């Protein structure tokens, strides 16, 4: 296996890690409006992801940086062609981080309500737009012979990509509901479990349609295996949350996300960004990659730094592993 193939796999792993971790905190952010009945319960939900949400975003920064260094042509075409949706996602992530930090800085009801609205919308919008973006990457966009995107923003809003957006939105919300049921106690835990079951059924219908569409259009035998794993895991996650096995449900919903994202990358390979104008103009792991020397240096750096990051993030989750409930929220909030 060539180094550019290795880095294609590593970038896929980074996106899987990002969607697995950021997926549930996007979901919890959306649930602050769908699940919480009052301000105290909103605080409970926010506290479940408070210690980890910023660490989860490190995976996105690393994925973007790795793409820039390993596949500069892919990075350039992607960020120029998808400039508006990616800018919207970036603004949402910035506002979302500010909302988490500033919500409790003042006691006024309007102040806190406005930041809670910001948390909801800046969780929902990226959860949808990431699906739209990856749907277009797999489907292919208008790339000319100079490796430049020549399409328009409105062409990105095609039925396949919009279905992908609905899948990531519902899947992340389901993932977040399972996480909320795993991390809370009391009445909110039971309601999170009930809502997760309902969201799981909706997610299953949308995801099955999207994955089958992907398999028919661009899949192969390997992507078919990943699709089957995703479907079976999602069904298992729904069944587990129905009988109150929150830990199993969360693990299986994570496997669903892992297998679904892996399927997209398997369907994409060896392309990194297919051209809908002419297959010969597609960006591939070969024509979009950096020099072998650059990839070699990156590999050594990743081999040293990645285990340290994984150990630190695992320790963070271990420290903040306990459940919380309304009784743990101070009266001042």
């Amino acid at each position: 296996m060539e180094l550019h193939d290795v880095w294609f796999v590593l970038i896929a792993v980074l996106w899987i890690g990002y969607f697995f971790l950021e997926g549930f905190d996007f979901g919890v952010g959306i649930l602050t409006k769908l699940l919480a009945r009052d301000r105290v319960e909103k605080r409970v939900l926010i506290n479940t992801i408070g210690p980890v949400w910023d660490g989860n975003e490190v995976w996105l920064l690393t994925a973007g940086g790795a793409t820039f260094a390993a596949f500069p042509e892919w990075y350039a075409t992607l960020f120029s062609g998808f400039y508006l949706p990616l800018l919207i996602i970036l603004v949402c992530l910035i506002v979302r981080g500010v909302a988490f930090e500033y919500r409790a800085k003042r006691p006024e009801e309007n102040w806190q309500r406005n930041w809670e609205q910001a948390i909801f919308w800046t969780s929902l919008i990226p959860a949808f737009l990431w699906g739209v973006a990856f749907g277009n990457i797999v489907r292919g966009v208008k790339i000319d012979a100079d490796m430049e995107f020549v399409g328009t923003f409105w062409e990105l809003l095609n039925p396949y990509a919009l279905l992908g957006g609905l899948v990531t939105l519902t899947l992340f919300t389901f993932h977040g509901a399972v996480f909320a049921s795993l991390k809370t106690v009391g009445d909110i835990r039971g309601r999170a479990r009930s809502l997760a079951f309902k969201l799981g059924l909706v997610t299953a219908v949308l995801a099955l349609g999207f994955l089958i569409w992907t398999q028919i259009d661009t899949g192969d035998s390997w992507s078919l295996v990943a699709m089957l794993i995703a479907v079976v895991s999602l069904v298992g996650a729904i069944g587990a949350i129905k009988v109150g096995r929150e830990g199993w449900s969360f693990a299986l919903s994570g496997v669903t996300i892992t297998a679904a994202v892996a399927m997209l990358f398997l369907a994409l390979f060896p392309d990194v960004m297919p051209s809908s104008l002419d297959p010969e103009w597609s960006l591939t792991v070969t024509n979009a990659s950096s020099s072998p020397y650059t990839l070699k240096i990156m590999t050594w750096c990743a081999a040293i730094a990645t285990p340290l990051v994984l150990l630190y993030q695992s320790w963070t989750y271990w420290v903040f592993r306990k459940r919380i409930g309304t009784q743990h929220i101070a009266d001042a909030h």
Side-chain angles (χ1 to χ4, degrees):
M1 181 181 287
E2 300 290 337
L3 277 180
H4 50 66
D5 297 328
V6 171
W7 273 98
F8 180 85
V9 174
L10 292 177
I11 288 171
V13 170
L14 290 171
W15 280 109
I16 288 170
Y18 174 67
F19 286 140
F20 179 93
L21 297 172
E22 189 86 310
F24 71 73
D25 71 41
F26 279 149
V28 170
I30 294 169
L31 292 175
T32 57
K33 183 175 287 291
L34 301 182
L35 180 63
R37 290 177 174 174
D38 53 36
R39 182 144 291 118
V40 176
E41 289 192 349
K42 289 182 180 181
R43 186 64 185 177
V44 169
L45 291 175
I46 292 172
N47 281 2
T48 64
I49 59 174
V52 297
W53 68 266
D54 49 352
N56 295 343
E57 292 186 355
V58 170
W59 289 78
L60 173 62
L61 298 176
T62 308
T67 304
F68 172 77
F71 299 99
E73 294 290 350
W74 183 13
Y75 182 93
T77 304
L78 176 64
F79 278 79
S80 60
F82 292 23
Y83 181 82
L84 183 56
L86 292 178
L87 178 62
I88 293 172
I89 290 173
L90 177 61
V91 171
C92 284
L93 295 179
I94 293 172
V95 174
R96 188 167 180 264
V98 173
F100 281 131
E101 299 295 334
Y102 274 71
R103 177 192 172 276
K105 295 297 184 183
R106 289 170 55 179
E108 291 88 347
E109 184 174 345
N110 286 339
W111 171 272
Q112 295 192 2
R113 184 187 298 113
N114 289 338
W115 287 119
E116 288 162 2
Q117 290 281 356
I119 291 172
F120 171 75
W121 287 108
T122 56
S123 299
L124 184 148
I125 294 172
F128 175 74
L129 288 181
W130 279 127
V132 173
F134 270 84
N136 278 292
I137 291 174
V138 174
R139 173 179 175 267
V141 293
K142 291 183 177 179
I143 299 174
D144 64 14
D146 296 322
M147 299 185 179
E148 294 182 359
F149 177 78
V150 293
T152 66
F153 168 75
W154 300 110
E155 291 171 346
L156 302 178
L157 303 180
N158 55 80
Y160 175 76
L162 291 175
L163 178 58
L166 291 176
V167 170
T168 52
L169 176 59
T170 54
L171 180 57
F172 291 169
T173 309
F174 168 70
H175 195 43
V178 175
F179 180 79
S181 70
L182 183 64
K183 287 288 292 178
T184 58
V185 294
D187 181 58
I188 192 172
R189 176 186 176 188
R191 285 187 282 114
R193 199 159 52 208
S194 176
L195 180 59
F197 177 72
K198 297 173 184 176
L199 287 168
L201 296 177
V202 176
T203 303
V205 174
L206 295 174
L208 186 61
F210 179 74
L211 295 178
I212 290 175
W213 192 344
T214 303
Q215 180 63 28
I216 292 173
D217 275 0
T218 58
D220 57 17
S221 58
W222 288 105
S223 63
L224 178 60
V225 172
M227 185 191 82
L228 294 176
I229 294 173
V231 171
V232 171
S233 298
L234 181 56
V235 172
I238 296 169
I241 199 66
K242 179 64 175 178
V243 299
R245 300 300 297 271
E246 295 133 342
W248 277 104
S249 183
F250 182 72
L252 288 169
S253 67
V255 173
T256 301
I257 292 173
T258 299
V261 178
M263 178 194 177
L264 296 181
F265 277 91
L266 287 168
L268 189 61
F269 186 82
D271 293 335
V272 294
M273 210 164 176
S275 172
S276 60
L277 298 178
D278 187 335
E280 296 296 323
W281 297 343
S282 297
L283 301 182
T284 68
V285 292
T286 303
N287 65 21
S289 68
S290 294
S291 67
Y293 181 74
T294 300
L295 296 178
K296 184 176 180 180
I297 296 297
M298 289 176 61
T299 303
W300 280 107
C301 292
I304 295 171
T306 302
L308 299 176
V309 174
L310 291 176
L311 285 172
Y312 173 75
Q313 194 160 26
S314 299
W315 176 78
T316 302
Y317 276 92
W318 174 255
V319 169
F320 296 101
R321 66 189 182 278
K322 294 184 178 179
R323 296 177 182 266
I324 63 173
T326 54
Q327 67 271 27
H328 300 119
I329 304 300
D331 292 339
H333 291 130

